[in-house]
Amino acid sequence: MKHVPRRRFGQNFLVDKGVIARIIAAIDPRPGDNLVEIGPGLAALTEPLLARLDHLHVVEIDRDLVARLRERFPSETLIIHGADALRFDFSALGGPLRVVGNLPYNISTPLLFHLASCAGTLRDITVMLQKEVVDRLVAHAGEEAYGRLSVMLQYRFRPEKLFDVPAGAFRPVPQVTSAIVRLVPRPAAELNAQDEKLLAAVVSAAFGQRRKTLRNALAKYLDDGAFAELGIDPGERGERLAPADYVRIANYCAARTA
Ligand code: SAM
């Protein structure tokens, strides 16, 4: 029976063979790789991935699709986790783990934050997202797309945009253009925020209200004397500061309250 795509699960299935081949080439799966695909769907990526791997983990929320996958692929090579990727413990799959997928757009931001929380066990992430989200991931300070997502994900990963994928590559055809991005976790030595929760809180405050100056947005954390010590202009806006500046602010606040 034909599967009817479910909008609530962000189901836009890849059908363009050229695009599928390009994504597989970008992932470059090798036998021995420990790889998990989020949202295998109708196996557009799963099948060519499995052809190149000893085994593959997949995490799929849709029970009907899970049943189809179980029928189609042997359980020794395709290890199916019928689960919500937002709650799935990726670190339980061991490291170094490679994460791939054509992600459901409706949950892409929380999913990226969830993956960031287990970045220590990851080797890399190669995923398809809405192009607009990829633009935010790779944006630099001062650029239009730069925001909380850019700072928090760039703190954890080195993001690299690989290529765009037109809407016509999917069925049903989505409203938006997509893009493939690769995220490589930064080595532990580069993660120098002393208190990552505090970093997240400072960044949220700085971007909470777009046109506020840092003096107003960060009033809870820094006075003018502190801005002077840090060498940061309190009349600037949050969009002008680089991830490293936010780490300096968070570490300054952590040191003061220690
Ligand atoms: N990989 C397939 C492809 O490229 O054709 C399907 C991609 S489709 C955009 C997203 C897939 O993620 C669907 O199979 C959907 O059921 C699944 N999905 C949606 N929400 C999910 C969640 N929270 N956890 C795991 N899988 C999810």
Side-chain angles (χ1 to χ4, degrees):
M1 227 170 62
K2 207 168 171 299
H3 176 76
V4 179
R6 295 191 163 107
R7 192 195 275 262
R8 72 175 186 282
F9 291 146
Q11 290 178 354
N12 298 96
F13 299 106
L14 265 173
V15 291
D16 185 313
K17 295 220 160 22
V19 169
I20 293 168
R22 220 173 149 200
I23 296 172
I24 300 297
I27 297 168
D28 190 19
R30 302 289 175 96
D33 280 357
N34 186 22
L35 204 139
V36 60
E37 183 190 3
I38 299 175
L42 295 167
L45 298 172
T46 318
E47 191 169 36
L49 284 170
L50 255 187
R52 290 165 176 75
L53 293 164
D54 307 324
H55 68 276
L56 170 66
H57 291 276
V58 293
V59 181
E60 173 60 63
I61 199 169
D62 185 327
R63 286 187 191 165
D64 293 344
L65 293 177
V66 166
R68 278 170 191 262
L69 292 163
R70 285 202 206 286
E71 270 175 31
R72 189 163 153 198
F73 298 100
S75 58
E76 304 82 62
T77 50
L78 189 70
I79 303 145
I80 304 173
H81 306 270
D84 180 349
L86 284 174
R87 291 157 196 268
F88 188 75
D89 179 9
F90 287 92
S91 52
L93 302 181
L97 182 66
R98 307 192 69 195
V99 177
V100 305
N102 168 13
L103 299 189
Y105 296 146
N106 46 349
I107 58 160
S108 59
T109 303
L111 195 50
L112 288 170
F113 277 102
H114 180 53
L115 290 169
S117 73
C118 54
T121 56
L122 305 183
R123 184 176 125 192
D124 57 13
I125 301 175
T126 310
V127 285
M128 175 124 60
L129 297 164
Q130 217 171 306
K131 178 179 179 296
E132 178 248 321
V133 177
V134 173
D135 289 342
R136 284 162 59 202
L137 283 179
V138 300
H140 296 114
E143 291 175 357
E144 177 76 23
Y146 187 71
R148 183 176 87 101
L149 188 71
S150 329
V151 176
M152 294 312 295
L153 272 292
Q154 287 172 25
Y155 171 71
R156 268 277 147 230
F157 300 102
R158 271 189 293 109
E160 183 192 355
K161 180 177 169 175
L162 299 185
F163 52 89
D164 288 343
V165 177
F170 305 87
R171 292 293 178 277
V173 177
Q175 304 278 336
V176 294
T177 302
S178 301
I180 301 283
V181 67
R182 172 171 299 137
L183 301 159
V184 178
R186 293 188 185 279
E190 283 182 29
L191 304 178
N192 40 23
Q194 276 147 35
D195 180 342
E196 288 180 1
K197 283 208 175 98
L198 184 56
L199 173 67
V202 167
V203 173
S204 289
F207 288 97
Q209 282 161 298
R210 271 251 148 184
R211 279 175 303 281
K212 264 196 178 180
T213 61
L214 288 166
R215 178 183 286 115
N216 290 332
L218 298 182
K220 195 174 132 193
Y221 298 99
L222 304 174
D223 55 23
D224 274 9
F227 276 110
E229 271 188 61
L230 283 160
I232 293 172
D233 177 359
E236 277 290 13
R237 302 201 156 90
E239 301 92 282
R240 308 290 307 178
L241 296 192
D245 295 321
Y246 283 106
V247 172
R248 282 198 305 125
I249 293 174
N251 285 351
Y252 179 92
C253 297
R256 261 198 330 194
T257 53

